Amino acid sequence: MEKKEFKFALSGARSTTTIRSQSLFDISYKEPDKSPIDIYESNMLSYKKLLGCFVLEPTTGNYTSLASQSNEEWAKLSNLLILGFISSVESYVRCLLRRLLLIDGESKGNSYSKSVTYGAAIHHNKKLLPEALMEDCSFHSAYNIKETVKSFTGVSLKNLKKNPELATAFTDFDFIGQLRHCVVHRSGLFGSNNALSLGLEQYYEYLEKPIKLELSVVQEAAKACDNLVKELNDTLFSEFLNRTINTYDWKGDFRSDAKYFNKYFNVFSPSNKNFLKLKCYHEFRDCNNLRYRRN
């Protein structure tokens, strides 16, 4: 007699999903003709606007601010906003590295030996192809950002003794990254690895407790992400521009040097800072004595 296999429908009713047949992507999307930091700020603004969400109270018919409730719905929204903030930083780093790989000779040289999948090589838009190089990269921690920047461009961000502002921004970002890890992998519960990363003696009593974020904490998390992107943007702008001194035939005259200077300035500059272009060039020229290099 054949032995029966025990099965029991304990978990409730199921329904067939049609998710794979649904429209999932915006085929009409084109990346904005903006600098990476402008795209980042636009993404962050969309997330910050969600802090103003109001919900309908069914018992009274009134709308109340979700952020003022400190209830389960606010807890879910605040957790999702942390994910959005970190995702915006990751997208910024990807976009910036991709743009640099298109214009910077030394970065190209560092990346020529790296592999992309055959499918990406066949189907990717040429300007977006560098994105495929970073398919397996993540940027939700300071370590990952530093390692990937070094690997693809040759620029090192490891010794930050002379750049304490960026060092602090990385430290704050890593703190938020631990919150992100709780949300993504532990449904918002604080785990032992998170406590070890942040300081076990200080945080051990919160083990397996859910994250509970006040509005002010979410605002500070957004500020920390903004600070990192701005510090990183300024630092990399200086690093990349300075190392072109012996690459390009700088003349010390903007009319001749614009073809070199503009392509880096345009990648890094927010649109509302374009008026600083000539002032920025003059400081770059003077710091590197370019006026004395004329032929």
Side-chain angles (χ1 to χ4, degrees):
M1 181 177 179
E2 184 179 353
K3 185 179 179 179
K4 292 184 177 180
E5 182 180 357
F6 175 74
K7 288 185 178 181
F8 189 82
L10 178 65
S11 303
R14 288 80 160 169
S15 58
T16 302
T17 176
T18 60
I19 183 65
R20 294 176 64 85
S21 64
Q22 301 297 316
S23 176
L24 303 175
F25 304 100
D26 182 3
I27 193 67
S28 66
Y29 173 81
K30 292 183 180 180
E31 184 175 76
D33 185 21
K34 300 178 181 179
S35 66
I37 194 170
D38 276 338
I39 296 174
Y40 163 81
E41 290 182 346
S42 178
N43 286 337
M44 285 293 285
L45 180 59
S46 295
Y47 286 115
K48 291 173 183 176
K49 286 180 178 179
L50 294 176
L51 293 173
C53 284
F54 282 73
V55 292
L56 176 65
E57 292 289 347
T59 55
T60 64
N62 296 325
Y63 286 92
T64 58
S65 170
L66 191 57
S68 68
Q69 297 302 297
S70 295
N71 54 17
E72 186 174 350
E73 288 75 21
W74 165 250
K76 299 298 184 186
L77 177 60
S78 62
N79 286 356
L80 292 174
L81 288 174
I82 294 296
L83 300 187
F85 295 162
I86 296 287
S87 176
S88 296
V89 175
E90 291 198 77
S91 295
Y92 157 79
V93 178
R94 289 181 184 278
C95 183
L96 180 63
L97 290 178
R98 169 164 48 83
R99 301 276 183 93
L100 289 169
L101 286 169
L102 294 174
I103 68 165
D104 185 68
E106 195 166 337
S107 297
K108 290 179 183 179
N110 271 283
S111 302
Y112 279 148
S113 62
K114 300 187 184 301
S115 301
V116 296
T117 62
Y118 178 68
I122 293 296
H123 294 291
H124 241 315
N125 178 293
K126 186 176 181 180
K127 289 185 177 180
L128 297 176
L129 186 57
E131 193 83 45
L133 288 174
M134 296 176 279
E135 194 67 38
D136 296 324
C137 300
S138 63
F139 302 100
H140 54 70
S141 72
Y143 176 82
N144 288 355
I145 292 174
K146 293 174 185 179
E147 288 295 310
T148 308
V149 169
K150 174 66 175 177
S151 174
F152 282 92
T153 72
V155 172
S156 177
L157 296 170
K158 292 184 178 180
N159 186 2
L160 296 177
K161 290 182 180 179
K162 294 182 179 181
N163 193 344
E165 294 83 6
L166 180 56
T168 298
F170 271 134
T171 300
D172 291 342
F173 182 70
D174 274 345
F175 185 91
I176 302 165
Q178 293 301 320
L179 299 181
R180 168 205 169 273
H181 185 275
C182 296
V183 174
V184 172
H185 300 291
R186 310 194 83 257
S187 194
L189 296 178
F190 190 65
S192 57
N193 284 338
N194 307 120
L196 285 169
S197 297
L198 298 179
L200 187 59
E201 291 300 319
Q202 185 178 359
Y203 289 96
Y204 73 89
E205 64 181 320
Y206 303 112
L207 289 172
E208 301 308 322
K209 302 295 185 182
I211 296 173
K212 183 179 180 182
L213 305 178
E214 301 293 336
L215 173 61
S216 60
V217 177
V218 178
Q219 292 172 326
E220 288 299 311
K223 187 190 302 182
C225 290
D226 289 347
N227 287 343
L228 175 63
V229 167
K230 290 175 181 178
E231 293 293 346
L232 189 60
N233 201 67
D234 283 353
T235 297
L236 291 178
F237 176 55
S238 299
E239 292 285 342
F240 276 89
L241 203 54
N242 285 333
R243 77 176 187 179
T244 66
I245 292 300
N246 296 316
T247 302
Y248 297 133
D249 184 23
W250 295 96
K251 301 295 186 182
D253 187 310
F254 187 73
R255 290 168 295 183
S256 300
D257 292 342
K259 58 182 178 290
Y260 308 131
F261 185 82
N262 282 349
K263 64 181 183 177
Y264 288 93
F265 186 88
N266 292 341
V267 165
F268 286 98
S269 176
S271 57
N272 63 355
K273 300 296 182 181
N274 284 339
F275 70 95
L276 293 174
K277 180 184 292 185
L278 200 55
K279 178 183 179 182
C280 181
Y281 167 77
H282 287 157
E283 290 194 18
F284 168 69
R285 178 197 65 189
D286 295 345
C287 285
N288 291 284
N289 295 320
L290 296 184
R291 69 180 72 193
Y292 303 114
R293 292 168 50 122
R294 296 175 184 173
N295 295 333

